[in-house]
Amino acid sequence: MLVVVLTGCSAALTSLTPEQAAGLKEAQRVADEVTKAYGVPRVRVYATSNMRPTTVGAYSYRYDWIFVRPDMLTGDRFWLVLGHELGHAT
């Protein structure tokens, strides 16, 4: 069921500010570079608010998806969250 929902959506599963949208684009660019460098399958980065309040990011092994809370797409913790989630993929 989740696959059907996500394949018809953009990478933002929630509303984003212009800064967050730019962060999401940067996160996907970095994810593409990292997975290519490691020779592992490409991951898709999605922005979603549909996570537990204490969760800032998540990785789906089954589908190679990274989910990031929109407020983590900007600011000091952007690289920390993205790097952590990419670590699961590599």
Side-chain angles (χ1 to χ4, degrees), residues 11-87:
L13 304 175
T14 189
S15 297
L16 299 177
T17 66
E19 293 82 14
Q20 291 168 338
L24 180 60
K25 185 176 180 178
E26 175 70 358
Q28 186 63 64
R29 185 191 67 75
V30 170
D32 289 344
E33 285 186 22
V34 168
T35 54
K36 183 177 180 180
Y38 276 86
V40 297
R42 182 178 189 261
V43 297
R44 186 77 177 137
V45 182
Y46 293 96
T48 183
S49 297
N50 193 19
M51 293 188 282
R52 286 182 277 169
T54 57
T55 303
V56 296
Y59 176 69
S60 168
Y61 289 95
R62 187 171 188 176
Y63 299 107
D64 289 321
W65 293 337
I66 291 175
F67 298 97
V68 180
R69 186 174 294 285
D71 58 330
M72 294 294 113
L73 292 168
T74 60
D76 297 336
R77 295 191 288 175
F78 171 78
W79 293 108
L80 179 68
V81 172
L82 183 60
H84 174 86
E85 299 309 330
L86 281 170

